[in-house]
Amino acid sequence: MKRRNFVRLTSAAGFSAFVLPLAQCRESRGNESDEGSDSELSELTVSQLQAKMKSGDVTSRSVTQSYLDQIARLDKDGPMLNAVIEINPEALSIADTLDEERKKGKLRGPMHGIPVLIKDNINTADRMQTTAGALALEGNIAQSDAFVVKQLRNAGAVILGKTNLSEWANFRSTRSSSGWSSRGGQTLNPYILDRSPCGSSSGSGVAVAANLCAVSVGTETNGSIACPAAMNSIVGIKPTVGLVSRSGIIPISKTQDTAGPFGRTVADAAMLLGAMTGRDPEDAATSDTPAKTPTDYAVYLDPDGLKGKRIGVEKDFLNEHERVDVLFKHAIDQMKKLGAIVIEVDYMKTQDLGDAESTLLQYEFKDGVNAYLSESNAKVKSLDDVIAFNKNHEDRVMPAFRQELLEIAAAKGNLDSKEYKEALRKILNVRKLLAAEFEKNKLDALCGPATGPSWCIDPVNGDFWTGYGSYGPAAVSGFPSITVPMGYVNEIPIGISFLGRAYDEPGLISIAYAYEQVSKNRKAPRFLKSVKLEN
């Protein structure tokens, strides 16, 4: 299946509140920016926040309150970004506890006292719901934290709230619009408000970009971290499948799902990643994690990380979109100046799978969601219950697109099916093909533009994918990828994705950090209403 068609099945999603005047993009000849971030914490990194807490300039409580104020101003009262679906009512009390620990000299690590937003398909055992953005799951209060949330709490993070997402992580319709859920409405892109924020981790990406938090957690099956990172000019790390536990996360695919961090810098994303990892007896995939897996990825932030590195570039990406081509060629030149050896390769062919990937996801989604719902506190206890609920509440749940992916998945058999096993065989073979590509050319990483320019939010036709998707083979194979800002086309962010070997997050972080330091592409959003025409 081609990436463009596949993404319609998995990576972005939906729309409600379709009364928004965003069905068509508008062209502007003037700077329509009328919003901005006035928070004293805007663009501060995790390290800078830690330095301020250490000096006493701020506390975890004051930082948490500042982000809460920013959420109220930009997410609810201002341009209504709809990035945050729910605030943790215990956030300030958690911050107070961590401030007391700091006073007593107890510091849990680099995330101590740092507020973190969590995607709303990840269980938190508190007063917040876990719904995957679906009205069908409204009222679902998890009995226990997801493993990754336990890790974050142990690391001293303040769970600030839940972020909106493409409903069911975009596994609902082939005609969905990224960043919409029936519970949370439409998430907007803070750079150009009528452009897609991508998804499915839309709210997590937008929140970091708009300074509603310093770092956040998203999830990815194929592109749901990489694409929001690219389209919101931030950094997203999609870890090797198995590095971060999936237990307590509403699933799509046990073969491809993973959680991962967002930050405005490679350093911030790397620090959050270190707090998320760990072996979990409830997720067998984590048992394959190497025994010496790092817990501190900040040590790999090397400004010379590209020196002598062999970087594979997909040759078909050098003639896709004239404006993106310019950015990508400039990125290649910058890498070469830092000592990288750039080699043209043909790695996207590893993703030519026919219908195998969509077939795999349909089977695994049914199996995983039924297992999750059967043990949850949701009123619906099966995928069939979800489908029935949506039909009974069609005016609220399906105002513009349907639920055909849910219905297709529900009609599938179990994981003993011959069709499923054949699809799984083809997917697992991608790992061999991609590993062989690395070995043949002695590569340290592959890279390419993460996406083309963001498309207009369109509740009628859904998403319009614009080529690239260079991160796709890493997602299918379970290998890691990291996406970093590469520049802008008419103020629309463009990202570059680096793909690595399994469990080589250290090498990828080193490469991405070196590129980030020489390119320095990120700039804060200006909340423009539409694209400005250049004279």
mmCIF file with all atom_site columns, all heavy atoms in Angstrom, residues 484-500:
data_model
loop_
_atom_site.group_PDB
_atom_site.id
_atom_site.type_symbol
_atom_site.label_atom_id
_atom_site.label_alt_id
_atom_site.label_comp_id
_atom_site.label_asym_id
_atom_site.label_entity_id
_atom_site.label_seq_id
_atom_site.pdbx_PDB_ins_code
_atom_site.Cartn_x
_atom_site.Cartn_y
_atom_site.Cartn_z
_atom_site.occupancy
_atom_site.B_iso_or_equiv
_atom_site.pdbx_formal_charge
_atom_site.auth_seq_id
_atom_site.auth_comp_id
_atom_site.auth_asym_id
_atom_site.auth_atom_id
_atom_site.pdbx_PDB_model_num
ATOM 1   N N   . VAL A 1 484 ? 12.873 16.453 12.944 1.00 0.00 ? 484 VAL A N   1
ATOM 2   C CA  . VAL A 1 484 ? 13.420 17.743 13.377 1.00 0.00 ? 484 VAL A CA  1
ATOM 3   C C   . VAL A 1 484 ? 12.978 18.814 12.374 1.00 0.00 ? 484 VAL A C   1
ATOM 4   O O   . VAL A 1 484 ? 12.845 18.524 11.179 1.00 0.00 ? 484 VAL A O   1
ATOM 5   C CB  . VAL A 1 484 ? 14.969 17.664 13.419 1.00 0.00 ? 484 VAL A CB  1
ATOM 6   C CG1 . VAL A 1 484 ? 15.577 18.964 13.930 1.00 0.00 ? 484 VAL A CG1 1
ATOM 7   C CG2 . VAL A 1 484 ? 15.415 16.500 14.290 1.00 0.00 ? 484 VAL A CG2 1
ATOM 8   N N   . PRO A 1 485 ? 12.750 20.048 12.811 1.00 0.00 ? 485 PRO A N   1
ATOM 9   C CA  . PRO A 1 485 ? 12.398 21.113 11.860 1.00 0.00 ? 485 PRO A CA  1
ATOM 10  C C   . PRO A 1 485 ? 13.447 21.273 10.764 1.00 0.00 ? 485 PRO A C   1
ATOM 11  O O   . PRO A 1 485 ? 14.650 21.293 11.032 1.00 0.00 ? 485 PRO A O   1
ATOM 12  C CB  . PRO A 1 485 ? 12.335 22.361 12.741 1.00 0.00 ? 485 PRO A CB  1
ATOM 13  C CG  . PRO A 1 485 ? 11.972 21.849 14.103 1.00 0.00 ? 485 PRO A CG  1
ATOM 14  C CD  . PRO A 1 485 ? 12.698 20.531 14.210 1.00 0.00 ? 485 PRO A CD  1
ATOM 15  N N   . MET A 1 486 ? 12.970 21.393 9.502  1.00 0.00 ? 486 MET A N   1
ATOM 16  C CA  . MET A 1 486 ? 13.872 21.565 8.367  1.00 0.00 ? 486 MET A CA  1
ATOM 17  C C   . MET A 1 486 ? 13.700 22.928 7.716  1.00 0.00 ? 486 MET A C   1
ATOM 18  O O   . MET A 1 486 ? 14.531 23.335 6.890  1.00 0.00 ? 486 MET A O   1
ATOM 19  C CB  . MET A 1 486 ? 13.618 20.456 7.329  1.00 0.00 ? 486 MET A CB  1
ATOM 20  C CG  . MET A 1 486 ? 14.628 20.416 6.177  1.00 0.00 ? 486 MET A CG  1
ATOM 21  S SD  . MET A 1 486 ? 14.481 18.950 5.123  1.00 0.00 ? 486 MET A SD  1
ATOM 22  C CE  . MET A 1 486 ? 12.928 19.281 4.271  1.00 0.00 ? 486 MET A CE  1
ATOM 23  N N   . GLY A 1 487 ? 12.639 23.665 8.048  1.00 0.00 ? 487 GLY A N   1
ATOM 24  C CA  . GLY A 1 487 ? 12.416 24.975 7.457  1.00 0.00 ? 487 GLY A CA  1
ATOM 25  C C   . GLY A 1 487 ? 10.934 25.224 7.244  1.00 0.00 ? 487 GLY A C   1
ATOM 26  O O   . GLY A 1 487 ? 10.086 24.547 7.834  1.00 0.00 ? 487 GLY A O   1
ATOM 27  N N   . TYR A 1 488 ? 10.631 26.204 6.370  1.00 0.00 ? 488 TYR A N   1
ATOM 28  C CA  . TYR A 1 488 ? 9.238  26.630 6.192  1.00 0.00 ? 488 TYR A CA  1
ATOM 29  C C   . TYR A 1 488 ? 8.972  26.946 4.723  1.00 0.00 ? 488 TYR A C   1
ATOM 30  O O   . TYR A 1 488 ? 9.849  27.432 4.007  1.00 0.00 ? 488 TYR A O   1
ATOM 31  C CB  . TYR A 1 488 ? 8.937  27.876 7.038  1.00 0.00 ? 488 TYR A CB  1
ATOM 32  C CG  . TYR A 1 488 ? 9.210  27.657 8.506  1.00 0.00 ? 488 TYR A CG  1
ATOM 33  C CD1 . TYR A 1 488 ? 10.501 27.794 9.024  1.00 0.00 ? 488 TYR A CD1 1
ATOM 34  C CD2 . TYR A 1 488 ? 8.182  27.283 9.370  1.00 0.00 ? 488 TYR A CD2 1
ATOM 35  C CE1 . TYR A 1 488 ? 10.766 27.570 10.357 1.00 0.00 ? 488 TYR A CE1 1
ATOM 36  C CE2 . TYR A 1 488 ? 8.437  27.057 10.711 1.00 0.00 ? 488 TYR A CE2 1
ATOM 37  C CZ  . TYR A 1 488 ? 9.727  27.197 11.198 1.00 0.00 ? 488 TYR A CZ  1
ATOM 38  O OH  . TYR A 1 488 ? 9.992  26.954 12.534 1.00 0.00 ? 488 TYR A OH  1
ATOM 39  N N   . VAL A 1 489 ? 7.752  26.674 4.300  1.00 0.00 ? 489 VAL A N   1
ATOM 40  C CA  . VAL A 1 489 ? 7.266  27.070 2.991  1.00 0.00 ? 489 VAL A CA  1
ATOM 41  C C   . VAL A 1 489 ? 6.061  27.972 3.229  1.00 0.00 ? 489 VAL A C   1
ATOM 42  O O   . VAL A 1 489 ? 5.037  27.508 3.713  1.00 0.00 ? 489 VAL A O   1
ATOM 43  C CB  . VAL A 1 489 ? 6.857  25.850 2.139  1.00 0.00 ? 489 VAL A CB  1
ATOM 44  C CG1 . VAL A 1 489 ? 6.141  26.296 0.864  1.00 0.00 ? 489 VAL A CG1 1
ATOM 45  C CG2 . VAL A 1 489 ? 8.080  25.002 1.791  1.00 0.00 ? 489 VAL A CG2 1
ATOM 46  N N   . ASN A 1 490 ? 6.201  29.264 2.942  1.00 0.00 ? 490 ASN A N   1
ATOM 47  C CA  . ASN A 1 490 ? 5.132  30.219 3.238  1.00 0.00 ? 490 ASN A CA  1
ATOM 48  C C   . ASN A 1 490 ? 4.658  30.102 4.685  1.00 0.00 ? 490 ASN A C   1
ATOM 49  O O   . ASN A 1 490 ? 3.450  30.039 4.965  1.00 0.00 ? 490 ASN A O   1
ATOM 50  C CB  . ASN A 1 490 ? 3.945  30.030 2.287  1.00 0.00 ? 490 ASN A CB  1
ATOM 51  C CG  . ASN A 1 490 ? 4.225  30.549 0.897  1.00 0.00 ? 490 ASN A CG  1
ATOM 52  O OD1 . ASN A 1 490 ? 4.746  29.816 0.075  1.00 0.00 ? 490 ASN A OD1 1
ATOM 53  N ND2 . ASN A 1 490 ? 3.882  31.804 0.631  1.00 0.00 ? 490 ASN A ND2 1
ATOM 54  N N   . GLU A 1 491 ? 5.591  30.039 5.622  1.00 0.00 ? 491 GLU A N   1
ATOM 55  C CA  . GLU A 1 491 ? 5.329  29.924 7.060  1.00 0.00 ? 491 GLU A CA  1
ATOM 56  C C   . GLU A 1 491 ? 4.799  28.552 7.469  1.00 0.00 ? 491 GLU A C   1
ATOM 57  O O   . GLU A 1 491 ? 4.504  28.317 8.644  1.00 0.00 ? 491 GLU A O   1
ATOM 58  C CB  . GLU A 1 491 ? 4.342  31.007 7.543  1.00 0.00 ? 491 GLU A CB  1
ATOM 59  C CG  . GLU A 1 491 ? 4.809  32.439 7.320  1.00 0.00 ? 491 GLU A CG  1
ATOM 60  C CD  . GLU A 1 491 ? 5.954  32.831 8.230  1.00 0.00 ? 491 GLU A CD  1
ATOM 61  O OE1 . GLU A 1 491 ? 6.095  32.223 9.299  1.00 0.00 ? 491 GLU A OE1 1
ATOM 62  O OE2 . GLU A 1 491 ? 6.707  33.748 7.872  1.00 0.00 ? 491 GLU A OE2 1
ATOM 63  N N   . ILE A 1 492 ? 4.643  27.642 6.529  1.00 0.00 ? 492 ILE A N   1
ATOM 64  C CA  . ILE A 1 492 ? 4.193  26.283 6.843  1.00 0.00 ? 492 ILE A CA  1
ATOM 65  C C   . ILE A 1 492 ? 5.414  25.435 7.195  1.00 0.00 ? 492 ILE A C   1
ATOM 66  O O   . ILE A 1 492 ? 6.335  25.304 6.385  1.00 0.00 ? 492 ILE A O   1
ATOM 67  C CB  . ILE A 1 492 ? 3.453  25.649 5.650  1.00 0.00 ? 492 ILE A CB  1
ATOM 68  C CG1 . ILE A 1 492 ? 2.206  26.468 5.291  1.00 0.00 ? 492 ILE A CG1 1
ATOM 69  C CG2 . ILE A 1 492 ? 3.069  24.211 5.961  1.00 0.00 ? 492 ILE A CG2 1
ATOM 70  C CD1 . ILE A 1 492 ? 1.530  26.007 4.011  1.00 0.00 ? 492 ILE A CD1 1
ATOM 71  N N   . PRO A 1 493 ? 5.452  24.848 8.396  1.00 0.00 ? 493 PRO A N   1
ATOM 72  C CA  . PRO A 1 493 ? 6.632  24.073 8.801  1.00 0.00 ? 493 PRO A CA  1
ATOM 73  C C   . PRO A 1 493 ? 6.838  22.812 7.966  1.00 0.00 ? 493 PRO A C   1
ATOM 74  O O   . PRO A 1 493 ? 5.884  22.139 7.573  1.00 0.00 ? 493 PRO A O   1
ATOM 75  C CB  . PRO A 1 493 ? 6.323  23.703 10.262 1.00 0.00 ? 493 PRO A CB  1
ATOM 76  C CG  . PRO A 1 493 ? 5.309  24.706 10.710 1.00 0.00 ? 493 PRO A CG  1
ATOM 77  C CD  . PRO A 1 493 ? 4.474  24.986 9.503  1.00 0.00 ? 493 PRO A CD  1
ATOM 78  N N   . ILE A 1 494 ? 8.107  22.506 7.721  1.00 0.00 ? 494 ILE A N   1
ATOM 79  C CA  . ILE A 1 494 ? 8.517  21.278 7.051  1.00 0.00 ? 494 ILE A CA  1
ATOM 80  C C   . ILE A 1 494 ? 9.553  20.598 7.940  1.00 0.00 ? 494 ILE A C   1
ATOM 81  O O   . ILE A 1 494 ? 10.455 21.253 8.465  1.00 0.00 ? 494 ILE A O   1
ATOM 82  C CB  . ILE A 1 494 ? 9.141  21.557 5.666  1.00 0.00 ? 494 ILE A CB  1
ATOM 83  C CG1 . ILE A 1 494 ? 8.197  22.404 4.790  1.00 0.00 ? 494 ILE A CG1 1
ATOM 84  C CG2 . ILE A 1 494 ? 9.512  20.251 4.973  1.00 0.00 ? 494 ILE A CG2 1
ATOM 85  C CD1 . ILE A 1 494 ? 6.921  21.704 4.386  1.00 0.00 ? 494 ILE A CD1 1
ATOM 86  N N   . GLY A 1 495 ? 9.436  19.290 8.109  1.00 0.00 ? 495 GLY A N   1
ATOM 87  C CA  . GLY A 1 495 ? 10.379 18.560 8.948  1.00 0.00 ? 495 GLY A CA  1
ATOM 88  C C   . GLY A 1 495 ? 11.197 17.567 8.164  1.00 0.00 ? 495 GLY A C   1
ATOM 89  O O   . GLY A 1 495 ? 10.831 17.160 7.058  1.00 0.00 ? 495 GLY A O   1
ATOM 90  N N   . ILE A 1 496 ? 12.315 17.166 8.739  1.00 0.00 ? 496 ILE A N   1
ATOM 91  C CA  . ILE A 1 496 ? 13.162 16.112 8.170  1.00 0.00 ? 496 ILE A CA  1
ATOM 92  C C   . ILE A 1 496 ? 13.190 14.960 9.163  1.00 0.00 ? 496 ILE A C   1
ATOM 93  O O   . ILE A 1 496 ? 13.299 15.179 10.375 1.00 0.00 ? 496 ILE A O   1
ATOM 94  C CB  . ILE A 1 496 ? 14.585 16.630 7.870  1.00 0.00 ? 496 ILE A CB  1
ATOM 95  C CG1 . ILE A 1 496 ? 15.424 15.547 7.189  1.00 0.00 ? 496 ILE A CG1 1
ATOM 96  C CG2 . ILE A 1 496 ? 15.284 17.145 9.118  1.00 0.00 ? 496 ILE A CG2 1
ATOM 97  C CD1 . ILE A 1 496 ? 16.767 16.046 6.675  1.00 0.00 ? 496 ILE A CD1 1
ATOM 98  N N   . SER A 1 497 ? 13.055 13.735 8.664  1.00 0.00 ? 497 SER A N   1
ATOM 99  C CA  . SER A 1 497 ? 13.085 12.552 9.523  1.00 0.00 ? 497 SER A CA  1
ATOM 100 C C   . SER A 1 497 ? 14.358 11.755 9.294  1.00 0.00 ? 497 SER A C   1
ATOM 101 O O   . SER A 1 497 ? 14.757 11.525 8.148  1.00 0.00 ? 497 SER A O   1
ATOM 102 C CB  . SER A 1 497 ? 11.871 11.663 9.251  1.00 0.00 ? 497 SER A CB  1
ATOM 103 O OG  . SER A 1 497 ? 10.683 12.234 9.736  1.00 0.00 ? 497 SER A OG  1
ATOM 104 N N   . PHE A 1 498 ? 14.983 11.343 10.407 1.00 0.00 ? 498 PHE A N   1
ATOM 105 C CA  . PHE A 1 498 ? 16.139 10.453 10.374 1.00 0.00 ? 498 PHE A CA  1
ATOM 106 C C   . PHE A 1 498 ? 15.695 9.088  10.896 1.00 0.00 ? 498 PHE A C   1
ATOM 107 O O   . PHE A 1 498 ? 15.046 8.999  11.935 1.00 0.00 ? 498 PHE A O   1
ATOM 108 C CB  . PHE A 1 498 ? 17.267 10.992 11.248 1.00 0.00 ? 498 PHE A CB  1
ATOM 109 C CG  . PHE A 1 498 ? 17.839 12.296 10.759 1.00 0.00 ? 498 PHE A CG  1
ATOM 110 C CD1 . PHE A 1 498 ? 17.357 13.510 11.253 1.00 0.00 ? 498 PHE A CD1 1
ATOM 111 C CD2 . PHE A 1 498 ? 18.853 12.324 9.820  1.00 0.00 ? 498 PHE A CD2 1
ATOM 112 C CE1 . PHE A 1 498 ? 17.875 14.716 10.808 1.00 0.00 ? 498 PHE A CE1 1
ATOM 113 C CE2 . PHE A 1 498 ? 19.386 13.528 9.373  1.00 0.00 ? 498 PHE A CE2 1
ATOM 114 C CZ  . PHE A 1 498 ? 18.895 14.721 9.864  1.00 0.00 ? 498 PHE A CZ  1
ATOM 115 N N   . LEU A 1 499 ? 16.044 8.035  10.171 1.00 0.00 ? 499 LEU A N   1
ATOM 116 C CA  . LEU A 1 499 ? 15.669 6.674  10.525 1.00 0.00 ? 499 LEU A CA  1
ATOM 117 C C   . LEU A 1 499 ? 16.915 5.896  10.897 1.00 0.00 ? 499 LEU A C   1
ATOM 118 O O   . LEU A 1 499 ? 17.956 6.015  10.235 1.00 0.00 ? 499 LEU A O   1
ATOM 119 C CB  . LEU A 1 499 ? 14.988 5.971  9.342  1.00 0.00 ? 499 LEU A CB  1
ATOM 120 C CG  . LEU A 1 499 ? 13.571 6.360  8.949  1.00 0.00 ? 499 LEU A CG  1
ATOM 121 C CD1 . LEU A 1 499 ? 13.458 7.825  8.557  1.00 0.00 ? 499 LEU A CD1 1
ATOM 122 C CD2 . LEU A 1 499 ? 13.098 5.482  7.792  1.00 0.00 ? 499 LEU A CD2 1
ATOM 123 N N   . GLY A 1 500 ? 16.813 5.088  11.953 1.00 0.00 ? 500 GLY A N   1
ATOM 124 C CA  . GLY A 1 500 ? 17.987 4.346  12.401 1.00 0.00 ? 500 GLY A CA  1
ATOM 125 C C   . GLY A 1 500 ? 17.742 2.854  12.548 1.00 0.00 ? 500 GLY A C   1
ATOM 126 O O   . GLY A 1 500 ? 16.640 2.357  12.327 1.00 0.00 ? 500 GLY A O   1
#
